[in-house]
Amino acid sequence: MTHTERPLARTALPVDLDEAAHRCLVAGFEGTTAVPDTLKRLIDRGLGGVILFTRNVRDAEQVRRLTDTLRALRPDLLVGIDNEGGGIGHLVAAGAPEVPGSYALGVVDDLGLTARCADALAGHLAALGITASYAPVADIQRQAGNPIVRTRAFGTDPDLVSRHLGAWIAATEARGVASCAKHFPGHGGTVTDSHHELAVDPRPYDELDLGPFRAAIAAGVPMLMSAHVVFPALDPNRPATLSRRILGDLLRHELGFDGVLVSDALEMKAIADLYGEAAGARIALAAGADQVIVAVPDLGVSLECRDAVLEALRDGVLGEERVREAARRVQRLVERYATPAVMVTAWDAEAGLEAARRAVRGHAVPHAVPGAHVVDLFPAPHPALNWGGEDLLTEMLAVDPTATGTAVAGEPDDPDGVVEEILTRAGGAPLVVATCDAGLYPWQARVRDALVARRPGAVRVATGLPEGTAMCSYGRGKANLRAVAEALSAAGPHS
């Protein structure tokens, strides 16, 4: 379906209210150099921000030119991106610092090191002209079957998570970049990925994971992002993103947050399939959100959301003061963060690899296996999260050119055939079998177990959360995998 801008059939809103409504929208778009005309018109009317993705990134110089071009259209435009570290980020092609991701940082539990990693990511953003980072994750990894939080969280302990959130937020703030703790009031207690369907956290109120969000607010986090999750203990009828009880009564009044509350992307199926993006935008703003994100590059979806908000304002369904209040919060945010630093000091490019090494080597590490045949089993990349092509074999070859291996991304059509092919390729070489959250992906466990049954001496590695006694990287970022490769090959400074 092709979306086009349609003229407004009814009386136009006052200019200042129209601009306030546009302030409440963050839009994704296609392109690396030219700004689409539709986006230019949205920016001209007051668009609050844009969100960049891998599709907008070719290299560092190009990204900086793009952000400069966007700000030339409107200096107070917020330019943001998801930038969690580990395998979750969109700036691989722009030379992003290699940071292992939150769970590994929690395993090391060195707040200074977490701050150095966050500083590296924020410094890189500032150098690119990006001044809003939709990170860190404040969720706690509660459910073994949770498919979406996992190593994106700092851990399973609320106090540990809270400490590292504070370190991350402070380091990001020091770079003049806005951080955003997510996903309020927590996505770690679900067994569903809200990208694919509505998620529910059935726990009673006193068991919900509000502590890290309280800590983030106390640390001065300027933004929070809502979860598309239903919490029956708080509101049995609507997900947090659309709930006045959660965003208003809980977040604003009980927790006292007065920064910008931004929705997770409205095209996620938890919202799009049950409400539609346009209705989701209107309901979220009425419930207390200050900005709604439409991350898909089809600007027609952003226009539909914008038009639904304007229509609701004209009909009185959405209160003018609610939108003006949201716009004032956004304006305070952009006044503080929209302009990137002129000079960006260097960051510690080695902090991430140091953290990854310490996470791996502080726990079960087998004897070195130089010349191994490395089998890397992992799920197909998540469609909403970037994957820069990292795999364990590539990192092994970088430190041990005698290694061989097989990378299997996603469930193979013939698992038994894959097992036989791997064993043939391996010959007499030592075997390393890596899995990533095999408990969620039974095909990995079947392939792994078949290989280990045939080769009982195989070294097992987990590249997600820990799996029994397997050596664990606590994430699949490049730094995580390099640290594992060094340990397996006896390379690197700590061998």
Side-chain angles (χ1 to χ4, degrees):
M1 178 178 178
T2 300
H3 300 273
T4 57
E5 288 182 87
R6 52 188 174 85
L8 299 176
R10 302 173 58 190
T11 305
L13 295 170
V15 172
D16 64 331
L17 183 57
D18 182 86
E19 181 172 329
H22 281 79
R23 275 276 185 232
C24 298
L25 180 64
V26 176
F29 64 99
E30 195 76 62
T32 57
T33 53
V35 178
D37 288 342
T38 298
L39 184 60
K40 288 180 180 178
R41 288 190 286 272
L42 285 169
I43 292 171
D44 185 58
R45 287 177 64 174
L47 183 71
V50 295
I51 181 169
L52 304 182
F53 283 88
T54 308
R55 61 178 177 254
N56 304 116
V57 176
R58 192 171 63 232
D59 56 54
E61 184 180 349
Q62 165 268 320
V63 173
R64 184 62 202 227
R65 285 198 303 269
L66 178 61
T67 60
D68 286 346
T69 298
L70 288 164
R71 285 201 181 81
L73 296 171
R74 190 176 185 101
D76 59 357
L77 181 71
L78 200 69
V79 181
I81 198 165
D82 284 323
N83 201 50
E84 299 173 22
I88 313 301
H90 299 274
L91 293 167
V92 172
E98 294 173 10
V99 172
S102 295
Y103 207 99
L105 295 175
V107 166
V108 176
D109 198 13
D110 179 336
L111 296 182
L113 188 55
T114 291
R116 286 162 56 200
C117 289
D119 174 74
L121 291 174
H124 184 241
L125 291 186
L128 298 176
I130 300 170
T131 56
S133 173
Y134 295 115
V137 169
D139 306 322
I140 296 174
Q141 172 53 29
R142 286 291 189 194
Q143 283 282 359
N146 183 291
I148 189 61
V149 174
R150 307 194 72 77
T151 59
R152 297 170 68 191
F154 285 107
T156 60
D157 176 72
D159 291 337
L160 179 145
V161 170
S162 296
R163 291 196 307 272
H164 287 271
L165 283 171
W168 185 292
I169 291 164
T172 305
E173 177 68 25
R175 285 287 186 176
V177 174
S179 57
C180 179
K182 59 187 184 185
H183 307 79
F184 181 80
H187 206 325
T190 73
V191 292
T192 304
D193 178 357
S194 56
H195 290 88
H196 301 312
E197 59 184 304
L198 189 64
V200 178
D201 186 331
R203 293 177 294 169
Y205 174 80
D206 59 0
E207 294 181 14
L208 298 179
D209 295 315
L210 298 178
F213 292 98
R214 294 182 190 274
I217 293 168
V221 71
M223 293 190 290
L224 292 180
M225 180 181 288
S226 64
H228 299 332
V229 176
V230 172
F231 296 84
L234 300 173
D235 186 339
N237 299 313
R238 283 185 170 172
T241 295
L242 308 183
S243 171
R244 191 187 304 268
R245 293 184 193 177
I246 295 174
L247 302 188
D249 296 345
L250 176 59
L251 180 61
R252 298 299 187 190
H253 299 300
E254 183 178 333
L255 272 62
F257 180 63
D258 194 40
V260 169
L261 188 284
V262 60
S263 79
D264 210 340
L266 294 179
E267 71 274 8
M268 292 166 61
K269 293 185 181 298
I271 300 297
D273 283 1
L274 294 178
Y275 300 90
E277 296 93 333
R282 171 179 56 79
I283 299 169
L285 292 175
D290 300 307
Q291 286 190 316
V292 293
I293 293 179
V294 181
V296 290
D298 181 354
L299 287 165
V301 181
S302 292
L303 291 175
E304 289 178 355
C305 292
R306 186 276 310 270
D307 290 348
V309 171
L310 296 181
E311 193 80 8
L313 282 168
R314 280 191 294 270
D315 290 342
V317 174
L318 179 59
E320 288 189 17
E321 183 48 38
R322 168 76 274 274
V323 171
R324 292 186 189 278
E325 173 192 52
R328 286 194 294 270
R329 288 200 183 104
V330 173
Q331 187 59 37
R332 290 201 303 267
L333 184 78
V334 298
E335 286 173 357
R336 184 171 166 188
Y337 296 103
T339 304
V342 176
M343 296 292 293
V344 178
T345 57
W347 53 87
D348 185 351
E350 297 301 316
L353 190 53
E354 177 186 337
R357 286 169 175 155
R358 287 174 60 182
V360 168
R361 294 175 183 273
H363 296 75
V365 180
H367 61 277
V369 282
H373 187 86
V374 178
V375 182
D376 191 12
L377 311 173
F378 54 99
H382 194 291
L385 308 174
N386 180 57
W387 178 61
E390 302 88 1
D391 65 75
L392 182 55
L393 175 59
T394 299
E395 297 309 314
M396 280 293 293
L397 289 171
V399 296
D400 179 8
T402 68
T404 58
T406 307
V408 184
E411 183 172 3
D413 294 332
D414 180 12
D416 293 338
V418 167
V419 169
E420 294 302 327
E421 182 180 352
I422 288 169
L423 292 171
T424 299
R425 287 184 184 179
L431 193 65
V432 173
V433 183
T435 52
C436 180
D437 295 330
L440 295 182
Y441 305 97
W443 68 269
Q444 291 186 41
R446 289 196 300 270
V447 173
R448 176 199 64 204
D449 293 348
L451 289 168
V452 173
R454 301 275 290 276
R455 295 287 298 273
V459 173
R460 287 184 49 202
V461 175
T463 61
L465 292 177
E467 297 177 18
T469 59
M471 176 186 182
C472 191
S473 65
Y474 306 97
R476 286 195 60 86
K478 186 174 182 180
N480 300 98
L481 299 179
R482 175 60 65 92
V484 167
E486 289 178 351
L488 289 172
S489 65
H494 304 290
S495 57

